[in-house]
Amino acid sequence: MTSVTSDVYGSLPGGHRVRRFRLQSESVKVEIISFGCIITCLETKDRHGHFSDIVLGFDDLEGYTNKHPYFGAVIGRVANRIAKGTFTVDGKDYLLPINNGPNSIHGGLKGFDKVLWTPEVVENGVKFSYTSGDGEEGYPGELNIWVTYTLVGNELVLNYKAQTNKTTPVNLTNHSYFNLAGQRSPNFNDHEISIDAEHYLPVDDTMIPTGDINPVEGTNFDLRKPVNVESQIAKLQENGFDHNYCLKESQKEQTCARVYHKPSGRVLSVRTTKPGIQFYTANFLDGSLKGKGGAVYPKHSAFCLETQAWPDAVNKHQFPNILLHCGEEYNQTTWFVFSVE
Ligand SMILES: *[C@@H]1O[C@H](CO)[C@@H](O)[C@H](O)[C@H]1NC(C)=O
Ligand SMILES: *[C@@H]1O[C@H](CO)[C@@H](O)[C@H](O)[C@H]1NC(C)=O
Ligand SMILES: *[C@@H]1O[C@H](CO)[C@@H](O)[C@H](O)[C@H]1NC(C)=O
Ligand SMILES: CC(=O)N[C@H]1CO[C@H](CO)[C@@H](O)[C@@H]1O
């Protein structure tokens, strides 16, 4: 049985109230606010039954309205990078705000992480809706989006739906930074990860996929068998992982990633209907943010598993399509399953 309660979390400049929803089952507690659909707190049990908050974030609304690394938020219209911020749809060129080197990232200057959503309590959870206007952040078409979080036992389910009145690229994800030892931990020593993918996308020096789809076999990107995250990063030439893994193409749900933290016994498994998962090891955190309860978040103190379409898919015809047409429904689901071992 999941209980759903809510209160006021804060007010935005201009006076709009932000609500907070608390979903609680026997084994998981999660808090989500109507600003950015941000997961502000996620507590799970360790093997002794003690709860810890395993996501990074801030103590108050101001932390989230300021510029931050998208802690816990829904990202859209298009998660990840679009090369040079341009694409062509139905013969028309579109230009998006450039906000990541030469590229556009995470929906633009005011993406879905920075808007106020309309909440509605549903069975075992909460559904948020938002209408993104025609031309908002440079994207074509009016887009209606519904993001539903439900908690059943130890499974947190995120469903994303969207409809447009003009062809537009869409791919939504949420962006929680996890540390299964608890959000205050200075590193992710003792985390083991596996990702069930035969291929990954190599990137250029602005982090745009080169267009190649490389086998993981024989590389340091091979995560098909569990590896220690820290020692695997040490083997890379890169700063850490920030790469898309290619999942088997299907609209069926598939288990794609598993993270195990031996000292606490916490396990996070991810299932998704999406075709890709970005594994990111918080390479750009630098300890300068003031996090929850005064925590500092150094480089490599958390990881993200962002289920998504492949980065820059709108410009790479060999990648799975991300165009949503008028009359179609975008419908993607990700399951986060928390257990102990
Ligand atoms: C889509 O909806 C917007 C807002 O209602 C409207 O301005 C626009 O003309 C519509 N576009 C089409 C192609 O129907
Ligand atoms: C979304 O949030 C949940 C709960 O914090 C987390 O388990 C998951 O990693 C996030 N999803 C994605 C796709 O990043
Ligand atoms: C949307 O996806 C969910 C989960 O995969 C599925 O249960 C549901 O039937 C889908 N809804 C529609 C309208 O296709
Ligand atoms: C609506 C839509 O086209 N969504 C797409 C998001 O991305 C994946 C793969 O890139 C597609 O399979 C979905 O159809």
Side-chain angles (χ1 to χ4, degrees), residues 134 141-142 165-166:
D134 193 355
E142 182 178 88
N165 73 356
K166 215 189 267 177

Side-chain angles (χ1 to χ4, degrees), residues 282-320:
N283 311 326
F284 295 108
L285 290 182
D286 60 7
S288 62
L289 291 168
K290 196 158 163 281
K292 285 185 264 189
V296 291
Y297 300 133
K299 181 171 164 180
H300 298 162
S301 61
F303 63 90
C304 300
L305 287 167
E306 302 156 56
T307 55
Q308 61 179 5
W310 300 6
D312 201 32
V314 71
N315 291 309
K316 300 276 193 315
H317 300 294
Q318 69 276 36
F319 289 3

